[in-house]
Each structure stands twice: as structure tokens, then as C-alpha cells.
Amino acid sequence: MKKIFITFALLLFMLPGWSQKVGLVLSGGAAKGIAHLGVIKALEENEIPIDFVVGTSMGGIVAGCYAAGMSPGQIEEVILSKEFLYWVNGKLEEGHNYYFARKEDDPSFLRLNLSLDSTFSISLNTSIVNDLSLNFALAEKFAQPSAIAKNNFDSLFVPLRVVASDIFTQSEVILSKGSLSSALRATQTVPFFYNPIRVDGKYLFDGGVYNNFPVSVALSEFSSDVLIGSNVSSKTYKQYPYGKDDQLISRSLLYILLDNSDPTEIPESGIYIQPDILDYTSFDFSKARALIDSGYNQTLRQMDEIKEKISRRITCEEVAEMRNKFNSQSAPLIIEEIQFDGFNRNQQKFINRFFNGGKRPLNFSQVKSGYYRLVSHDYFNNLYPGFVYNENSHDFDFSLTKRPQNNFQVDFGGVIATRNISNIYLGMNYYYFNRTLTHASANFAAGNFYKSAQMKARIDYPNRGQFYLEPLATFNSWDYLEGNDLVVTNETPTILNRIDRKVGAALGVPIGKNYKLAIEGSYINNRDNYANSGVFATTDTLDQLKVQGSRAGLAFTANSLNRKQYANQGRAYSFSLDWFGVIEDHVPGSTSVANQPTNDYRSWLRTKVSLEQYFKQGIYSAGYVFEGVLSNQPVFSNYMGTIINAPAFNPIQDSKTLLLQNFRAFNYVAGGWRNVFTIRKSLDFRLEGYLFKPLEAIVKSQNQEATLDSDFTKIYFAATAGLVLHSTIGPISLNVNYYDDDENPFGVLLHVGFLLFNKTSME
């Protein structure tokens, strides 16, 4: 009887439904790899077991999430989140953009990240996408599962293999142990898109380069009865794709980089699944819901075949119980110490101050806050984070690894316009890091209308509260006659040449995450040459007005706008209080009624408030602009000298390129409403209107002097309508503009690039 029972038990054990082992292989495919989640979701719902997973690139990410004990619902929640789009698009997470470290907006649209060493050798960083948010998210999500498994991928919720590539030896690398977050980060490092990371001392890249559909890895690493292969790579052409080549050529870089996916590698006993994703590109991360559905629906269509080949079942309740048992072993993310790799002692002291002022231990929110405060500085954009579990103390350490630093950056930019206001821009940035972080920069702009040069050095100190010192020198030059319209001839052109110079220093301190307080002192040395009327003969001479003196003030600012120009999300606030003490030296020209030079001392106080905010709902974004100025600034020697040195309201993109006399006053309130309609992802239609109310208008008397008019009825209107395409080289904008201004009532402007300028000495 005993022998019969043993024989019966052995027969049951040998039946496929009793002991079948099922493996799942997930291909690479960038955004299209999100469809793998739909495959897993359908398998679990139909009680199909998954005993191990193998993945490469985005397939490796999905496989890693599943192996780490995340349910399909949890993975879906992450992928559909707003944060996920920030990670893959190289943006810092919302709420962790620290304004204190934000650079002032400039017209650059291209940056070369270079590394300059002590021998003055330069190397180029070729990555396109910033990986700071992605790296931290991976480290956070997989720290605890990796600790539970003791860095052994066979001890995860289900065994896992991740495929990466060694570019130098041109071979695939199979990752089966170590930091899970590093393995997943390595497998999706598409060359030129992300910076590579070191794993076990080697720089590794995307696994899809040499094995984009790692069936061979599943067969060699695991023993399975049935292998399910999910392939989302469109690169399955064994012959030239005639008729489709024009459509496919735009994706040629990915075809060059990724290995061919061969469906015939799946054994006859297995199942091959290829979701219908021909209408999606490798960058359609925003279409995650549809991609998940495509994988889910295709798997359901093949469910009869799957169930025929896989007779073993495991209920959703059983899977959930096993998953909960695995995850219940997680230790809390309490961080005892920070480990540094590649930093000297002085640098470690500097970085430590970002993490709760150097106090230990740290909770997770303190680590996350400190990390994002640190990487908000451009210099630290090559830090690599990680969590290391300490089995003795049952807590974690936080590691920061220094990758090759981009300590020298070159920016290129400028603008091309249908008016004569085009210019080119060059910026250079050098960083030196030891006890402090020093960012030395120089930028130059050159064009017929505008020329500029600026040099400054920001020195960040982390001790006794974070602050910076920033000495700077700025030179600006504007030629308003040269900036006139190339097509439309103005009968009374503005004849004005301005030279604006400032040397000073600023002290800045952060106020929370979103605000900054800056205290500045500077010496001003300006010169204006102008005609007092639009009629000017070649024999005439221009008035010369020199303004020299001091300025001191403070500014409280915040800026979370999503674009340098033509924003449609975020907000920007500023409040400033300034004192000016200058000597006005006026030498009249032949168009002046005065005939004697004057030399006068002028001093005044000025306060200014600016507000800009957007409210986005679907394809429509509404925004308001408000600006107010109060001052006791006196009039200068004549009307033109007064008007060009008065505060100006510049609401439209080309306002700074025009001398809008009706939109300048010592005291005013102004505001407007901006309507932005998103026609396509990067194409907006904008309709904007503004009102300007001078509390005391500056008017010209008969003897060319400036007088103040308190007429309450004086209100001026400005408006613009146009299309803006947001491209990699900046905005491409076609606008029709209107101003209540005698010289510049209507204008049509087409410009490519950012129409931005350095601040003047009196702004």
C-alpha cells in the first residue's frame, strides 16, 4: 500500500499542472516597454504563474519592479504618475526645485557639458537627458527589496536577471546580484541619452545594445517548462522595409543602438506576445495608459493558447499573500550615515550641511530634501545616489558617488528676428569645488541692436546657514535706431544709443524652498546719446547724458515658471526696494533748446512689485500679470533724459526693444491677462491684453522739459496675439503686437530663439 501511494505521488508531481515552471522575458523598447505591464497584469488576473523574470532596458525596469514585490497595480500607479514623467524627461520632481540655486534666465538653447582637469584636458559629456530624478527614484523604490534579498536577485519576490552591455568589450553583461537599483539604472542607459554608471567597476549601458530580447539569458540562467516572451521592439525587419523607410528613418538612432529582436528564439513550447504598438514611438511615455492596455489586450487575445500550454494555476490571493510576506521583511528607511565616494574631506563637509545641517540620523524626507537641494546646483548634476543596508544595525546608509564632473560648460544661443534685433549669445561657466562652491561665468551677446558682456562669480557657503556672495560686472549697449523695423519705415524713429555699466556685489540667502532674498550694492556708470526729436540731420549732434553713482537695495524673489519665455505654468513673484544716489551730467546737442551743460546730484527711493501666475486646465492656461512701482524719483534735465531713465512696463516679448514713452513712469500700476491655448504638445496660441496706468505721467513741455501729469483718465493699452512653437532651439514665435504709442502702434514680429537680455543697472 505504501509503495502504491509513493508511486501515485510521484506521478502527480511529474504532471505539468503540478510542477510547471514559467518564465517571463521582457524586451527593450523605451516607452513602448510600458506595454509589458499590461502583459503581467493579464497573466496575474488569469492565474498564470510567473516563476522568474528576465528583462532588458525598459523591459528590465518592469521586470525589476515585479521581482521587487510590486503588484501590477502598484507599478501602474507609479508609471501613470506625474512624477514618472519628470524622471524619464530629466526634470527635477515638482516641489523639489530649489529656487536658490536657479540660474538667471538667458537666451541660451544649447549647452556643452565639458570636464576640464588640472592638465587643461577637455572631455565632452554627450548625454541628452538629466538623470538626477531617475537615479534617486530608482534608489528609493528598490532599496528595501534589495536589502531583503541581501543583494541576491535569486532571493527577490521572484528570481530576476537583468541584461546590460559593456561597450568597451562589446558584450552583454548578465546582472544577478548587487544593488538592484544600479542594475535597473544600467540596463536602460541608452548611449547618448543617459550618462553611464559603474556596476562592479565597469561602465555599463543599455542591455538592448547587444541583447534586446534576452531569451537566451532565460534559457541559460533558469530551468523552465514554458517561456513567455513579450516583445515591444519594432525592430524585427530581416529585409529592407520598403514603403515604411521614410516613416522609420526618424527613429534611426534607436535602430542603430538596439540589437535586433528575434521572435523565433522562443521555443515551440513557449508563447510569443507582441502587443500592437505600431502607432507609438519610443518616446511616448505620456501615453502610458494606452500602452498598458495594448499589452493587456494582446495577452487576453492569446489567453487560450497560454492556458493550453500552461496548466498550472496560482490564484491572485496566493500571489498577494506571497508578495505581502516578502514585503513585510522591509526595514524602515532610517539613514544613519552618508557614504562618500570621490570627495575629499572639505567637500564632504560642504555636502553634509545640505542634510539636516549635518545632524544624524536622517529620515527619508530629510535625505530627499537634502539631495534635491544639492543637485539643484548645476555642478552636482553628475552625482549618483544609493541606499546601502547595514545588516548589523538594521538601518541604511545613503551613498553619494562622484561621477566625472561637468565643471566647464559652454552655452550657445541668441535670436533671429524679422526686426533688426537679432543677436548671438555665448556663455561660459567654470566650477571649482572645495570648501566652497565657486561658479565663475562670463557671457557675451552681439548684434546691431544689442551688445553685452557680463562677468560674475558666485561663491556658495554652506556654513552657518547657506548663502552666497556674487561679485559681478555688466556692460550693455543698445542702439534703438538700429533696432527699427527692417520692413516698415518709421517716419519718426527713436534716435537713442545707450551704454549701461554696473560693477557690484550681491549677498543671497534662501527663504525656504521657493524664495530668495538678495542684498546688492553697485556702482553705476551710464551714458545716453539721444536726439530730442525724430527729425535729425547728419549735421546735428546728439545730447549726451551721463549718470554715475551708487545703488543699494534688496530683492525678494521666487520663480517656478516652466519656461524662460512664453510660460504657461508656474508663478514668479518679486519685491524690491532700492536707493539710488547719482550725478547727472548733461551736455546738450544741436536738437536741444538748452545751450549750457548741467551737473546735478539726484537721489531717490523706489519700490517695485511684480506678480505673474498661470492656472492650467487641460489645453487652456490662464495667467495674470501685475506690476506696480512707487518712487520719489525726480525729473532729469530734459524730457528725453527723464523718460529713458524712468521705470518701464515691458509686458510683451519685444517691449524692451522699443522706447515706449507711454509705458514709462516713476509711479504706476499695470496688469494684464494671458490666454494660452495648447494646440499641440509644443504649439501654443497666445492672446494677451494689458493696461498701464501712470499715477503721474511724464509729459513733455514746450521747452523740452519733463513735467508730471496726474490726469486720472490716462490709461494705455497693449495687446498681442500669435503662435509659439517650443522647439529645441527656443521658441519660434509669430506675433501681431499693438501698443498705445505714437511711434510703435502696430508691429508684426517673427523670431526664432529667446528674446532675452541682461538686466540694466537700474532694473
Side-chain angles (χ1 to χ4, degrees):
M1 187 70 180
K2 184 177 180 181
K3 291 182 179 180
I4 295 173
F5 176 79
I6 294 173
T7 303
F8 181 73
L10 288 172
L11 287 172
L12 283 176
F13 184 76
M14 293 172 65
L15 289 174
W18 182 268
S19 62
Q20 263 182 325
K21 291 292 183 181
V22 180
L24 179 63
V25 180
L26 306 179
S27 77
K32 293 183 288 186
I34 295 172
H36 294 313
L37 177 55
V39 175
I40 294 176
K41 187 177 178 182
L43 292 175
E44 273 209 1
E45 287 181 2
N46 286 272
E47 302 183 348
I48 304 300
I50 301 174
D51 296 301
F52 67 85
V53 285
V54 177
T56 191
S57 194
M58 191 64 194
I61 298 291
V62 175
C65 288
Y66 188 78
M70 296 175 68
S71 69
Q74 290 172 320
I75 303 172
E76 184 174 18
E77 184 179 349
V78 170
I79 289 177
L80 295 180
S81 69
K82 183 167 56 175
E83 288 76 18
F84 180 77
L85 289 178
Y86 284 115
W87 303 338
V88 297
N89 290 323
K91 297 179 181 179
L92 298 186
E93 281 190 25
E94 190 173 14
H96 291 283
N97 293 275
Y98 287 85
Y99 174 63
F100 181 69
R102 176 169 171 162
K103 288 179 58 181
E104 287 191 14
D105 292 338
D106 60 49
S108 65
F109 55 76
L110 174 64
R111 164 165 288 185
L112 292 182
N113 291 311
L114 307 170
S115 296
L116 181 65
D117 61 23
S118 57
T119 64
F120 296 98
S121 297
I122 294 179
S123 58
L124 174 65
N125 184 329
T126 56
S127 65
I128 296 174
V129 179
N130 185 310
D131 62 359
L132 294 170
S133 288
L134 175 65
N135 293 341
F136 189 85
L138 291 174
E140 171 195 351
K141 299 294 182 186
F142 299 106
Q144 291 162 311
S146 196
I148 295 171
K150 298 181 180 179
N151 291 333
N152 182 351
F153 294 178
D154 286 332
S155 300
L156 291 166
F157 170 62
V158 296
L160 167 73
R161 292 295 182 269
V162 177
V163 181
S165 299
D166 183 339
I167 295 295
F168 295 107
T169 63
Q170 298 184 3
S171 60
E172 73 174 16
V173 177
I174 302 170
L175 301 173
S176 61
K177 61 181 180 179
S179 167
L180 179 56
S181 62
S182 294
L184 300 184
R185 171 62 178 80
T187 190
Q188 54 86 61
T189 306
V190 179
F192 308 117
F193 288 87
Y194 291 114
N195 281 319
I197 66 165
R198 284 187 187 272
V199 177
D200 293 333
K202 297 179 180 179
Y203 278 117
L204 300 184
F205 287 84
D206 194 299
V209 174
Y210 297 117
N211 195 345
N212 198 44
F213 192 34
V215 176
S216 59
V217 175
L219 295 173
S220 63
E221 291 285 313
F222 298 104
S223 175
S224 65
D225 299 293
V226 181
L227 204 59
I228 302 173
S230 177
N231 176 35
V232 296
S233 174
S234 300
K235 187 182 176 183
T236 57
Y237 305 104
K238 291 192 173 181
Q239 296 181 348
Y240 190 86
Y242 292 105
K244 293 184 178 180
D245 49 359
D246 287 337
Q247 179 184 357
L248 297 171
I249 193 65
S250 62
R251 310 173 200 169
S252 58
L253 179 59
L254 287 177
Y255 283 99
I256 294 170
L257 295 176
L258 298 182
D259 179 48
N260 192 25
S261 298
D262 187 358
T264 62
E265 292 183 6
I266 295 290
E268 290 186 8
S269 60
I271 300 103
Y272 177 76
I273 300 173
Q274 181 153 9
D276 183 10
I277 51 174
L278 290 177
D279 293 333
Y280 301 96
T281 73
S282 298
F283 304 101
D284 280 336
F285 290 99
S286 61
K287 299 177 181 178
R289 170 68 71 185
L291 287 163
I292 294 171
D293 290 343
S294 67
Y296 181 82
N297 293 331
Q298 182 60 39
T299 307
L300 290 183
R301 282 192 285 268
Q302 296 181 231
M303 191 52 64
D304 290 342
E305 176 196 358
I306 295 171
K307 289 184 175 181
E308 183 180 341
K309 292 185 176 181
I310 303 173
S311 55
R312 177 174 154 233
R313 299 288 180 267
I314 181 167
T315 67
C316 295
E317 291 75 18
E318 290 174 312
V319 175
E321 184 180 352
M322 291 187 295
R323 186 177 284 122
N324 291 336
K325 183 179 179 181
F326 176 82
N327 289 324
S328 66
Q329 304 173 63
S330 296
L333 271 176
I334 302 298
I335 290 82
E336 189 63 35
E337 292 295 339
I338 296 181
Q339 298 179 3
F340 296 95
D341 182 4
F343 297 97
N344 65 36
R345 182 170 297 180
N346 289 330
Q347 293 170 337
Q348 293 178 24
K349 288 181 180 179
F350 180 98
I351 294 173
N352 257 318
R353 299 293 297 181
F354 285 82
F355 296 90
N356 197 28
K359 299 176 184 177
R360 302 291 182 269
L362 302 166
N363 59 41
F364 175 73
S365 63
Q366 290 170 328
V367 170
K368 187 171 185 177
S369 174
Y371 173 78
Y372 275 102
R373 281 178 57 206
L374 186 64
V375 300
S376 292
H377 294 268
D378 279 350
Y379 176 76
F380 295 109
N381 63 8
N382 257 2
L383 284 183
Y384 186 73
F387 291 94
V388 181
Y389 184 63
N390 189 323
E391 292 187 22
N392 295 324
S393 59
H394 302 291
D395 54 26
F396 290 84
D397 291 341
F398 182 62
S399 64
L400 286 172
T401 301
K402 179 182 179 181
R403 295 182 288 175
Q405 293 298 132
N406 301 324
N407 61 350
F408 185 54
Q409 299 163 347
V410 182
D411 298 327
F412 301 93
V415 64
I416 299 173
T418 51
R419 283 181 49 219
N420 198 17
I421 54 176
S422 304
N423 64 71
I424 57 174
Y425 174 88
L426 172 67
M428 293 180 289
N429 305 271
Y430 176 74
Y431 293 88
Y432 177 75
F433 178 41
N434 195 25
R435 294 179 183 273
T436 61
L437 175 63
T438 300
H439 173 200
S441 64
N443 64 69
F444 307 91
N448 289 333
F449 167 69
Y450 176 67
K451 299 176 179 65
S452 178
Q454 183 181 74
M455 291 180 289
K456 57 184 178 180
R458 170 169 162 162
I459 308 167
D460 277 85
Y461 298 84
N463 300 325
R464 299 177 184 176
Q466 191 179 3
F467 67 95
Y468 71 75
L469 290 175
E470 185 177 59
L472 77 161
T474 305
F475 167 86
N476 293 310
S477 173
W478 291 270
D479 190 334
Y480 283 82
L481 181 60
E482 289 294 332
N484 281 341
D485 201 300
L486 292 174
V487 179
V488 180
T489 303
N490 195 328
E491 294 181 359
T492 57
T494 300
I495 301 172
L496 170 63
N497 181 274
R498 306 205 69 186
I499 292 180
D500 176 275
R501 291 167 288 209
K502 179 177 74 171
V503 177
L507 169 69
V509 295
I511 309 294
K513 292 181 181 179
N514 302 319
Y515 299 92
K516 178 177 72 174
L517 177 65
I519 302 171
E520 181 181 351
S522 58
Y523 171 73
I524 298 169
N525 186 353
N526 299 342
R527 188 191 73 202
D528 296 310
N529 293 313
Y530 56 85
N532 291 283
S533 67
V535 179
F536 187 80
T538 56
T539 56
D540 287 335
T541 57
L542 299 174
D543 283 30
Q544 179 174 277
L545 177 67
K546 292 183 178 179
V547 176
Q548 301 177 60
S550 302
R551 171 185 178 176
L554 58 86
F556 181 74
T557 57
N559 190 336
S560 62
L561 297 178
N562 64 327
R563 298 183 181 121
K564 293 191 282 189
Q565 197 171 15
Y566 300 113
N568 69 347
Q569 292 184 64
R571 61 184 182 178
Y573 298 157
S574 72
F575 168 81
S576 62
L577 177 65
D578 291 284
W579 170 84
F580 296 86
V582 301
I583 296 174
E584 176 205 359
D585 186 359
H586 176 239
V587 178
S590 59
T591 63
S592 174
V593 297
N595 52 25
Q596 294 296 324
T598 58
N599 186 278
D600 297 289
Y601 177 75
R602 316 282 190 189
S603 66
W604 67 93
L605 285 171
R606 183 184 72 200
T607 182
K608 181 178 180 180
V609 176
S610 297
L611 308 174
E612 179 181 355
Q613 187 168 6
Y614 295 89
F615 307 91
K616 185 172 174 58
Q617 193 71 31
I619 65 169
Y620 174 65
S621 181
Y624 71 85
V625 174
F626 172 81
E627 191 169 289
V629 172
L630 292 175
S631 78
N632 62 344
Q633 183 173 346
V635 298
F636 281 28
S637 296
N638 62 9
Y639 169 78
M640 280 298 292
T642 300
I643 203 73
I644 60 182
N645 285 286
F649 179 53
N650 299 305
I652 301 177
Q653 77 279 73
D654 70 339
S655 298
K656 286 191 174 184
T657 68
L658 303 168
L659 185 64
L660 301 168
Q661 300 180 34
N662 290 339
F663 291 82
R664 290 173 175 257
F666 298 147
N667 298 276
Y668 67 80
V669 291
W673 194 258
R674 293 174 173 173
N675 302 279
V676 187
F677 302 88
T678 302
I679 300 173
R680 291 193 173 185
K681 183 178 179 181
S682 300
L683 180 64
D684 295 339
F685 172 73
R686 300 179 71 98
L687 183 63
E688 308 171 14
Y690 306 92
L691 295 175
F692 177 83
K693 175 67 184 86
L695 303 181
E696 290 181 318
I698 303 171
V699 297
K700 186 176 183 179
S701 67
Q702 291 184 349
N703 59 357
Q704 297 180 347
E705 291 182 348
T707 60
L708 302 179
D709 185 354
S710 301
D711 184 355
F712 185 76
T713 63
K714 289 193 174 184
I715 299 177
Y716 300 97
F717 177 69
T720 181
L723 295 170
V724 182
L725 177 65
H726 301 280
S727 72
T728 55
I729 58 172
I732 302 173
S733 172
L734 176 62
N735 290 82
V736 178
N737 302 329
Y738 170 78
Y739 297 99
D740 268 348
D741 184 83
D742 294 336
E743 290 187 15
N744 307 282
F746 285 100
V748 177
L749 178 66
L750 170 65
H751 75 88
V752 179
F754 295 101
L755 198 55
L756 298 172
F757 309 98
N758 283 328
K759 289 182 179 180
T760 69
S761 59
M762 291 193 177
E763 281 187 294

